[in-house]
Amino acid sequence: MKYDVAVIGGGPAGLAAAIKANNEGASVLLIEREARLGGILKQCIHDGFGVVRFGQKLSGPEYADRFIQELRRTNVQVSLLSFVTRTVKRDEGYDITYVSAQGVNTVHCGKIVLATGCRERTRNAIGIHGDRCAGIYTAGAAQNLVNILGAMPGKKVVILGSGDIGLIMARRLTLEGAKVEGVYEAKPTPGGLTRNIHQCLKDFDIPLHLSATVTRVFGSTRLEAVEISDVDERMRPIAGTQRIVECDCLVLAVGLIPENELARDLGVELDPATKGAIVDQNCQTMTEGIYACGNALHVNDLVDYVSESGEIAGAAASHGGKRKLKPITPQGKLLYVVPQRLDVNAPIDNVVMYFRVSCELADQRLTVTAGDETVFTKVYSKLLPPEMERIAVNFDKAHTLDDFTIRLEDK
Amino acid sequence: MELVCIVCPNGCRMTAERSDKGIVVVGNKCKRGEAFAASELTDPARSVTTSVRTTVSGYPVVSVKTDGEIPKSKIFALMDLCGNITVDKPLPIGTVLAEDLFGTGVNLITTTNMEVIDE
Ligand SMILES: Cc1cc2nc3c(=O)[nH]c(=O)nc-3n(C[C@H](O)[C@H](O)[C@H](O)COP(=O)(O)OP(=O)(O)OC[C@H]3O[C@@H](n4cnc5c(N)ncnc54)[C@H](O)[C@@H]3O)c2cc1C
């Protein structure tokens, strides 16, 4: 079998990429390892999705369903319960090997769109000491258990991490009858939106403990208690502040990392700042014919932008020509910027750029330059690490198409 | 009263006071903040998302939501009501499972399209 474009991953990024590539005239195969399309949105049953795109607060499954219904009206071939294990470069295009109920299959395709999402950091990644007992879950695993499988991960719960996923799980577990002892956050400020602090914690009288973390877990077979310690400003535990909190479940909501197993196999160059691939404005990686979008590219907080990057990747993968790549150099207080390269042979009149900062900043000016010309500038009264920013830049006006920078500085 | 508006992700910090002219709200970026503050002072309401059990293969539970806001004080009563519902056939997204919750005119609807999965 041969396809113009193979999309790996059937979450919002992959759905958008497949629909777009199809509509641009490509023959498309969408490969998803689970039984249903929708990716992580299947289990994100809370609302707040689609505000930018649809002007509505949809739940995750409702947002996904709009794209799934649209996909049904296309010619995209969908292969479910199919796990991609290997991708190999051929003279023209790539061979993709996937495992499904039918056995091991290999298909050939011209281009690959990686839309494999992200994975969660685990207990190992943050180094919590103690017993190897049951009852410790990542927030996504706990969410899957409750919202897909209809089972509870525990009765007395401690949540580590105050990002939106941690806050939403605190409310969810409370609604389903668990006692959430508290949400603990090593940083001095909460990670999630203020709105979620209120509607998820305050509404249910769930305590939030800042500058505190879990330092040890206890339990012979099942978790029985955790040790909490206060931490200093460099997030090191302070001796003498330890206390024991009894619980049978610890939920870790301590961060997401782009899933890049397949990208690594293909030798795709990664950005240490995003932990995803380095791409141009069309989401094409530094490896010709390989595109990356959604959370596989960088961790997004709004699904609306995940779909947007899928569409960019899908459209580009169905065309594509000879590239001329120039770096876009971030300067000043930026944590990261995507894209990291500009293909000056491709359209540059509406380049969508995303960036994040590493700490809360007030009164900042963002400037994008080409040579010594300013092509875009914007003032921000407040920038927060959990909120990704999006801009659209027109580079067409620039006289020199080289020496691109993006800079954030005090106003 | 100090409030954080939960209508949209902006999360405006507002103060709301009762006066003879009604409720005076400061700090909101849009009209919806005013309406939210008024309801927080009088009868706080929330939309709720949760799940109910099913006997359909591949769906131990199906996700549901209130299609509008119900009184905050009724959230756990709604959870009890959801605990008593079992879906016994595949339903399309948006199917009404319970009408006019607590006399509010708000319905409980499904938010997942239950499609039969052939294994
Ligand atoms: C636990 C959790 C909660 C979240 N909550 C929110 C939220 O409340 N609001 C919000 O806006 N965002 C939330 N996000 C972010 C959310 O992930 C994105 O908004 C969006 O769903 C990402 O879309 P995606 O398509 O990039 O990835 P995903 O939705 O993760 O989809 C990736 C898909 O790729 C498939 N896949 C991966 N590897 C392979 C392979 N080798 N072969 C075949 N298939 C493969 C997976 O099965 C999956 O279906 C959350 C993320 C997580 C992890």
Side-chain angles (χ1 to χ4, degrees):
Chain A
M1 284 300 269
K2 184 175 168 7
Y3 295 89
D4 296 331
V5 178
V7 178
I8 306 176
L15 287 167
I19 292 166
K20 193 73 181 182
N22 171 85
N23 295 352
E24 297 284 317
S27 60
V28 184
L29 174 66
L30 175 60
I31 310 173
E32 166 57 50
R33 68 180 166 202
E34 293 194 7
R36 289 194 279 147
L37 293 170
I40 203 81
L41 293 182
K42 296 194 293 292
Q43 66 183 59
C44 296
I45 67 170
H46 58 277
D47 66 5
F49 297 85
V51 179
V52 179
R53 195 178 185 102
F54 299 117
Q56 263 176 292
K57 279 194 295 178
L58 301 171
S59 67
E62 289 173 309
Y63 183 95
D65 192 63
R66 296 200 171 190
F67 289 84
I68 295 168
Q69 296 315 325
E70 199 180 332
L71 186 85
R72 297 265 156 81
R73 295 190 286 269
T74 67
N75 297 318
V76 173
Q77 287 292 314
V78 179
S79 187
L80 295 173
L81 292 167
S82 304
F83 184 72
V84 175
T85 52
R86 228 160 89 88
T87 44
V88 183
K89 175 94 189 88
R90 294 285 173 229
D91 292 342
E92 289 248 317
Y94 295 88
D95 278 349
I96 297 183
T97 303
Y98 63 92
V99 185
S100 72
Q102 285 74 46
V104 180
N105 314 272
T106 299
V107 290
H108 186 76
C109 65
K111 311 264 179 67
I112 295 179
V113 177
L114 297 170
T116 46
C118 58
R119 53 167 77 165
E120 298 178 272
R121 293 173 73 208
T122 60
R123 174 182 168 185
N124 286 339
I126 54 165
I128 299 177
H129 299 287
D131 301 328
R132 302 181 117 204
C133 44
I136 304 173
Y137 298 86
T138 62
Q143 192 179 47
N144 191 275
L145 215 54
V146 181
N147 294 347
I148 302 287
L149 299 174
M152 285 293 277
K155 295 195 179 83
K156 276 179 84 153
V157 184
V158 163
I159 296 184
L160 181 61
S162 66
D164 290 316
I165 302 171
L167 302 177
I168 279 164
M169 282 315 292
R171 173 177 65 182
R172 185 71 188 118
L173 291 167
T174 304
L175 281 177
E176 290 294 350
K179 170 96 182 83
V180 176
E181 296 293 330
V183 175
Y184 293 84
E185 169 61 57
K187 298 208 182 88
T189 50
L193 298 172
T194 317
R195 166 177 184 258
N196 283 335
I197 303 282
H198 280 258
Q199 63 178 358
C200 297
L201 301 188
K202 297 240 162 95
D203 271 5
F204 298 94
D205 297 318
I206 300 168
L208 171 63
H209 306 273
L210 299 172
S211 299
T213 192
V214 172
T215 39
R216 191 169 277 279
V217 296
F218 306 96
S220 48
T221 53
R222 175 85 197 182
L223 184 67
E224 288 158 21
V226 297
E227 177 193 82
I228 306 284
S229 301
D230 291 340
V231 297
D232 63 18
E233 52 304 336
R234 291 172 61 195
M235 298 214 277
R236 288 171 311 196
I238 301 170
T241 62
Q242 298 94 323
R243 59 241 185 226
I244 302 296
V245 175
E246 278 179 31
C247 59
D248 63 0
C249 176
L250 171 63
V251 171
L252 302 172
V254 290
L256 307 171
I257 316 163
E259 170 67 75
N260 271 304
E261 209 82 337
L262 295 170
R264 227 169 267 126
D265 282 352
L266 286 160
V268 168
E269 195 181 339
L270 302 183
D271 180 343
T274 58
K275 309 213 164 44
I278 295 176
V279 292
D280 64 20
Q281 74 268 35
N282 293 313
C283 294
Q284 188 168 182
T285 68
M286 294 305 98
T287 306
E288 218 59 41
I290 306 285
Y291 298 73
C293 56
N295 278 2
L297 178 55
H298 60 127
V299 174
N300 287 256
D301 40 44
L302 285 182
V303 70
D304 310 68
Y305 297 148
V306 166
S307 301
E308 179 180 44
S309 78
E311 284 168 345
I312 292 172
S318 51
H319 304 298
K322 186 101 194 75
R323 290 192 288 174
K324 187 172 174 193
L325 294 171
K326 300 281 181 184
I328 303 173
T329 313
Q331 294 174 343
K333 299 173 197 155
L334 293 160
L335 177 64
Y336 72 67
V337 177
V338 174
Q340 299 87 341
R341 302 282 189 275
L342 198 64
D343 173 9
V344 293
N345 279 352
I348 50 168
D349 57 333
N350 186 30
V351 173
V352 175
M353 302 184 77
Y354 307 101
F355 71 90
R356 253 181 220 279
V357 294
S358 53
C359 58
E360 189 173 330
L361 296 170
D363 299 321
Q364 298 294 305
R365 177 182 293 281
L366 183 82
T367 311
V368 182
T369 63
D372 41 25
E373 276 172 273
T374 295
V375 291
F376 180 92
T377 177
K378 183 170 177 183
V379 169
Y380 293 87
S381 58
K382 196 163 153 200
L383 288 167
L384 298 167
E387 291 172 33
M388 190 185 80
E389 297 290 338
R390 173 196 185 275
I391 57 172
V393 181
N394 182 355
F395 286 93
D396 252 353
K397 305 173 276 197
H399 293 98
T400 38
L401 288 182
D402 212 341
D403 294 325
F404 301 109
T405 70
I406 174 165
R407 186 170 70 236
L408 189 68
E409 58 202 349
D410 291 341
K411 201 176 72 179
Chain B
M1 180 158 85
E2 304 242 335
L3 289 172
V4 170
C5 183
I6 62 168
V7 175
C8 88
N10 272 337
C12 293
R13 283 166 200 278
M14 319 185 288
T15 53
E17 306 296 342
R18 277 173 213 272
S19 78
D20 348 320
K21 293 199 197 82
I23 293 166
V24 181
V25 186
V26 190
N28 53 312
K29 287 198 184 119
C30 80
K31 273 251 175 274
R32 291 182 297 176
E34 243 161 73
F36 174 75
S39 109
E40 280 299 277
L41 286 191
T42 49
D43 186 15
R46 297 286 182 269
S47 14
V48 181
T49 58
T50 179
S51 57
V52 303
R53 301 211 161 267
T54 99
T55 53
V56 179
S57 161
Y59 294 88
V61 290
V62 63
S63 60
V64 298
K65 72 173 183 186
T66 54
D67 64 5
E69 291 178 336
I70 61 164
K72 197 169 141 185
S73 57
K74 296 285 187 215
I75 292 178
F76 283 97
L78 175 77
M79 291 305 293
D80 288 342
L81 187 146
C82 288
N84 290 325
I85 299 176
T86 303
V87 168
D88 59 5
K89 56 175 185 292
L91 299 174
I93 192 167
T95 305
V96 176
L97 296 182
E99 285 181 345
D100 190 19
L101 298 163
F102 315 107
T104 54
V106 170
N107 304 317
L108 185 72
I109 63 170
T110 62
T111 57
T112 293
N113 222 351
M114 297 171 69
E115 293 173 337
V116 184
I117 300 161
D118 24 73
E119 300 284 337

